[in-house]
Amino acid sequence: GRGVCVGRPLPQVRIEVMRITDSPVENWSDSLRMPRDEVGELVVWGPNVSREYWNRPEANRLTKIRSADGEVGHRTGDVGSIDSLGRVWFCGRKSHRVVTQAETLFSVACEGVFNQHKQVRRTALVGIGAVPHQRPALCVEVENEEAVDRSQIRSDLLTLGAACPLTRNVETILFHRRFPVDIRHNAKIFRERLALWASRRVR
């Protein structure tokens, strides 16, 4: 439920965890920084960070942020945390978070709980409905569609989810034969399409 540990930043690269917002933020301030082990948007600073997009002013407003000394940081659109050892944990895309009345769920962190099941190939957490009243739904791809008991897998997944505080409120399980993927990244789940598919199957 922590996400995926991707290690420590390279020398000369600084990563901050910023309070989540979908709005532009022009200038960095310490009040934006999330505490250790808490999830926020990952912001990268360093010589490898571009100062702006070419001819895309709106993208610049949403992704670039300046420090007090004029250095430009990049809001990655990824969410994650930094632990007490300085390691970065990736929890998914900011745009893929599921916002309910009670909490915010992060895709990769939640999916790690359910992906432990040996008969599950992969899962995808999506939100049904409008923010902040979304209903979390777990889409599931199994390893062998012809040789599984879906009822048993659903029961197992609900048990796994209930045992973790992060996923205890994920109660909708939907089986999908083959997840749609982004045409630019053949393994990257096209969650926006999957969310539409899920919304048509839940009353």
Side-chain angles (χ1 to χ4, degrees), residues 28 34 38 41 47 49 52 69 79 95 98 101-102 108 111 119 126 131 133 135 140 179 181 184 200-203:
W28 172 263
M34 295 294 289
E38 291 195 23
E41 182 176 5
V49 174
E52 63 180 1
D69 60 6
V79 290
S95 60
V98 176
Q101 288 182 290
V108 171
E111 291 156 11
Q119 291 178 291
V126 298
V131 172
H133 305 285
R135 173 179 175 177
V140 180
F179 289 170
V181 293
R184 299 166 300 171
R200 293 193 293 266
R201 282 155 178 78
V202 173
R203 299 296 180 188

Side-chain angles (χ1 to χ4, degrees), residues 141-199:
E141 256 190 23
V142 296
E143 288 288 0
N144 186 347
E145 184 68 38
E146 307 304 322
V148 297
D149 181 342
R150 285 188 173 190
S151 296
Q152 183 61 55
I153 292 177
R154 176 180 281 106
S155 177
D156 293 345
L157 291 175
L158 290 172
T159 299
L160 279 172
C164 177
L166 188 70
T167 54
R168 65 186 184 277
N169 292 322
V170 179
E171 299 176 342
T172 300
I173 308 291
L174 301 170
F175 290 91
H176 194 289
R177 283 189 173 273
R178 186 174 182 182
F179 289 170
V181 293
D182 190 315
I183 58 173
R184 299 166 300 171
H185 312 280
N186 195 38
K188 186 176 180 180
I189 300 169
F190 200 157
R191 295 169 190 274
E192 292 79 4
R193 283 181 55 191
L194 203 52
L196 290 174
W197 171 85
S199 67

Side-chain angles (χ1 to χ4, degrees), residues 95-145:
S95 60
H96 295 156
R97 70 192 190 278
V98 176
V99 184
T100 74
Q101 288 182 290
E103 60 189 344
T104 298
L105 303 174
F106 301 103
S107 57
V108 171
C110 290
E111 291 156 11
V113 174
F114 298 103
N115 289 342
Q116 299 175 84
H117 196 292
K118 291 182 179 180
Q119 291 178 291
V120 167
R121 179 168 180 246
R122 56 183 175 175
T123 60
L125 182 77
V126 298
I128 297 172
V131 172
H133 305 285
Q134 289 184 303
R135 173 179 175 177
L138 187 76
C139 302
V140 180
E141 256 190 23
V142 296
E143 288 288 0
N144 186 347
E145 184 68 38

Side-chain angles (χ1 to χ4, degrees), residues 4-26:
V4 177
C5 182
V6 295
R8 297 178 176 84
L10 293 168
Q12 301 183 34
V13 173
R14 177 167 61 96
I15 296 181
E16 297 280 5
V17 181
M18 172 180 161
R19 175 171 39 84
I20 293 176
T21 175
D22 293 313
S23 302
V25 179
E26 186 174 352

